[in-house]
């Protein structure tokens, strides 16, 4: 039986996923996307487990997420995902999030495969080149460009990567970068606003013990604040990740 080229799974919003306002947090939603992508990759025969046998691993390069609203406590989120193309060494994947058959968010992402010994990109698995990609538009028409970093520092924090921040590749999980970026913003902004959009770009890996300096620039817009985020190695100043978030006042 052929593997489904489009994959859908449902995720109940757990109490541990909630913010103080009773809505799913942005890191929790990104976990939902990663889990759905991983389960679909497993069904297609290109999972992390399959790649590890070849000393390879998937690495997320970019993620863009736009939300009409945030799912709430006791709701169930349906995550639909599908591979959408190959561009050189990169593979793209799309997502649509729904609650009760009503679309409430959409995302697009770009990934590449690395040789885990040499830490260098390699061509994606041959299986992906043989797939008939779904003939449907991308839910977000987003170019995977370099994200701008802050021009000034309005807020800053320094974190240290710990053992439990690491993933199967033994580098800091992408969701942890997001938590650190959001954790740099003041509580007053987070309490008064909901996140409507997120862009993430990962530039370099961090491992256990890495000191990570996060900075944020927050600008006022008519529809709510917009923030630029940067995460640098606190000792070498190498850029590890960049992010952009948009916010709207809570209802």
């Amino acid at each position: 039986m052929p593997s489904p080229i489009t994959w859908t799974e449902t995720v109940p919003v757990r109490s541990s996923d909630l913010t103080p306002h009773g809505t799913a947090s942005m890191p929790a939603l990104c976990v939902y996307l990663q889990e759905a992508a991983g389960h679909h990759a497993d069904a297609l025969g290109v999972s992390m487990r399959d790649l590890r046998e070849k000393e390879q691993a998937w690495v997320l390069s970019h993620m863009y997420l736009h939300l009409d609203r945030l799912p709430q406590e006791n709701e169930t989120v349906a995550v639909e995902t599908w591979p959408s193309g190959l561009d050189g060494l990169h593979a793209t994947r799309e997502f649509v999030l729904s609650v009760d058959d009503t679309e409430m968010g959409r995302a697009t992402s770009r990934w590449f495969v690395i040789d885990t010994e040499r830490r260098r990109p390699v061509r994606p698995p041959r299986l992906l080149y043989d797939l008939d990609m779904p003939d449907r538009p991308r839910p977000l028409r987003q170019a995977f460009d370099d994200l701008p970093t802050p021009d000034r520092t309005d807020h800053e924090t320094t974190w240290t990567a710990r053992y439990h921040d690491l993933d199967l590749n033994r580098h800091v999980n992408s969701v942890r970068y997001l938590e650190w970026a959001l954790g740099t913003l003041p509580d007053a902004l987070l309490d008064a606003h909901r996140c409507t959009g997120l862009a993430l770009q990962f530039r370099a890996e961090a491992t256990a013990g890495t000191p990570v300096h996060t900075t944020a620039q927050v600008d006022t817009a008519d529809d709510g604040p917009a923030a630029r985020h940067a995460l640098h190695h606190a000792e070498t100043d190498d850029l590890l990740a960049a992010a952009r978030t948009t916010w709207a006042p809570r209802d």
Side-chain angles (χ1 to χ4, degrees):
M1 180 177 177
S3 301
I5 195 59
T6 298
W7 181 270
T8 301
E9 61 182 66
T10 55
V11 187
V13 178
R14 304 165 300 181
S15 58
S16 58
D17 298 334
L18 298 175
T19 69
H21 288 270
T23 55
S25 69
M26 293 301 288
L29 291 176
C30 287
V31 169
Y32 298 171
L33 300 182
Q34 284 193 4
E35 289 294 299
H39 295 155
H40 193 200
D42 188 32
L44 294 173
V46 291
S47 68
M48 288 288 285
R49 182 181 63 254
D50 297 314
L51 266 61
R52 281 204 307 273
E53 295 175 356
K54 304 174 184 177
E55 297 184 334
Q56 297 176 350
W58 284 110
V59 176
L60 180 61
S61 165
H62 289 74
M63 172 71 77
Y64 293 87
L65 172 61
H66 178 81
L67 295 168
D68 302 326
R69 72 171 181 89
L70 291 165
Q72 301 179 30
E73 182 179 12
N74 297 323
E75 289 188 325
T76 295
V77 180
V79 182
E80 183 185 18
T81 183
W82 65 94
S84 55
L86 296 165
D87 179 15
L89 296 179
H90 293 95
T92 53
R93 175 173 281 277
E94 316 302 329
F95 302 87
V96 172
L97 296 88
S98 303
V99 172
D100 294 332
D101 296 323
T102 300
E103 183 176 316
M104 46 74 61
R106 56 211 62 86
T108 186
S109 60
R110 185 166 76 161
W111 308 70
F112 61 91
V113 177
I114 62 166
D115 182 307
T116 55
E117 293 297 315
R118 297 184 299 154
R119 316 306 286 184
R120 296 177 62 85
V122 296
R123 290 181 68 83
R126 179 72 251 173
L127 280 171
L128 292 180
Y129 291 88
D130 297 332
L131 293 177
D132 291 325
M133 302 293 179
D135 183 17
R136 58 188 295 184
R138 293 172 59 199
L140 288 179
R141 294 284 186 177
Q142 182 67 56
F144 298 107
D145 297 327
D146 287 343
L147 294 178
T149 54
D151 295 323
R152 65 177 189 272
T153 299
D154 296 335
H155 310 282
E156 60 183 330
T157 308
T158 299
W159 316 80
T160 299
R162 305 157 300 175
Y163 180 83
H164 291 291
D165 297 323
L166 309 182
D167 59 17
L168 283 171
N169 301 326
R170 288 189 172 268
H171 64 207
V172 173
N173 184 277
S174 57
V175 174
R176 193 70 73 235
Y177 281 118
L178 173 59
E179 291 178 349
W180 291 341
L182 296 178
T184 306
L185 297 174
D187 289 352
L189 185 154
L190 300 174
D191 209 36
H193 299 84
R194 59 180 176 85
C195 192
T196 59
L198 165 69
L200 281 169
Q201 181 187 12
F202 302 96
R203 302 287 291 272
E205 62 182 354
T207 55
T210 299
V212 179
H213 183 224
T214 60
T215 59
Q217 168 186 333
V218 180
D219 294 303
T220 303
D222 291 340
D223 53 353
R228 294 184 186 181
H229 309 258
L231 297 90
H232 288 86
H233 192 298
E235 295 174 351
T236 67
D237 203 37
D238 290 337
L239 180 62
L240 303 174
R244 182 178 65 244
T245 53
T246 54
W247 304 81
R250 292 191 182 275
D251 296 333

